[in-house]
Amino acid sequence: MSSQSQGTTAAARGRDGAGGWDADAMRARLAEMARQDPRCERFGAERHRYRLSPPRAAADVDAFEARYGIPLPRDYRDFLTQVGESGAGPGYGLFPLEGLCYGPPDEDEDDDGWAADDEKAQDRQPGVLTTPFPLTAAWRPGPRERYEQAALVTGSLAIAEMGCGEFVRIVVTGQDVGRIWFADQVWPAMTPGPYFREWYLSWLESDAPRRP
């Protein structure tokens, strides 16, 4: 990464202790990433194109929390209200808190957006988000164990898609609130990751490899 990039993302990290985000520094880094990848050849970039939507109003986030009976993890909530609600991020980018994950599908596009919207809708079924997340360690099914996704993802919110049936989730209820988990539906597995801030900034700071 260039020294300019390091300075930009260091500024974004500079408010960790205060629980805030430097939105200007982060958007400057996204603009730099877009200049470095004008054809959007990095994985997922053709979807989000290094663009973030405007931040979500705090009152809207308050209403979401009241509707589903959960407080959002602080770093994630602050990101929504200070930086942007959706768009540029790991994988195909961040889902909006409300509405379609990728906007109305084009006739020529595949149906990946529908799968993401279904995942998002399942999270918002009554009681799902208020039931504690059940896992504390990586999980794979045993030889005779069935993969029951609904029971494994309670207390977590799908916030991004990595493709091929893998979704990124953030724990909102239970142990390790704010931790990222990777839920693979094709090769059933649940894998823990870092907390939201580290997960997002590690992507922002990386010069991501291009697709083969």
Side-chain angles (χ1 to χ4, degrees):
M1 189 189 309
S2 69
S3 58
Q4 180 181 0
S5 302
Q6 292 174 339
T8 298
T9 48
R13 281 189 178 276
R15 296 176 61 190
D16 277 14
W21 299 84
D22 190 330
D24 291 339
M26 295 176 74
R27 288 182 180 274
R29 170 58 181 155
L30 288 171
E32 181 182 23
M33 293 172 78
R35 288 193 296 271
Q36 293 172 347
D37 184 24
R39 297 182 181 179
C40 293
E41 294 179 328
R42 293 185 178 94
F43 178 79
E46 74 280 4
R47 179 83 71 172
H48 59 69
R49 307 191 72 80
Y50 303 103
R51 298 170 184 164
L52 277 174
S53 69
R56 189 85 184 195
D60 292 342
V61 180
D62 290 343
F64 179 91
E65 293 176 324
R67 184 180 310 122
Y68 296 105
I70 50 106
L72 293 174
R74 181 180 179 183
D75 277 342
Y76 178 56
R77 180 193 164 95
D78 286 348
F79 186 97
L80 294 174
T81 59
Q82 296 173 11
V83 184
E85 182 188 14
S86 62
Y92 292 117
L94 298 174
F95 296 160
L97 198 59
E98 303 281 13
L100 298 176
C101 292
Y102 303 120
D106 294 331
E107 292 182 1
D108 296 334
E109 289 187 350
D110 56 33
D111 61 356
D112 285 350
W114 297 113
D117 291 330
D118 287 345
E119 192 82 2
K120 191 172 173 182
Q122 290 168 17
D123 290 346
R124 287 154 178 76
Q125 294 298 310
V128 172
L129 294 178
T130 55
T131 301
F133 186 73
L135 300 175
T136 58
W139 176 91
R140 286 184 181 274
R144 297 183 180 180
E145 190 175 5
R146 294 184 60 186
Y147 174 53
E148 299 287 355
Q149 178 184 300
L152 292 172
V153 300
T154 59
S156 70
L157 192 66
I159 61 170
E161 180 184 8
M162 301 306 291
C164 298
E166 184 178 23
F167 288 88
V168 179
R169 294 183 157 274
I170 186 170
V171 177
V172 297
T173 307
Q175 297 186 48
D176 270 352
V177 166
R179 184 177 292 281
I180 294 295
W181 280 72
F182 301 95
D184 191 335
Q185 300 176 8
V186 176
W187 301 97
M190 296 286 293
T191 306
Y195 288 93
F196 178 80
R197 179 183 291 272
E198 181 183 351
W199 172 73
Y200 191 88
L201 288 180
S202 65
W203 173 81
L204 192 70
E205 293 170 352
S206 67
D207 291 324
R210 296 188 175 187
R211 296 177 300 182

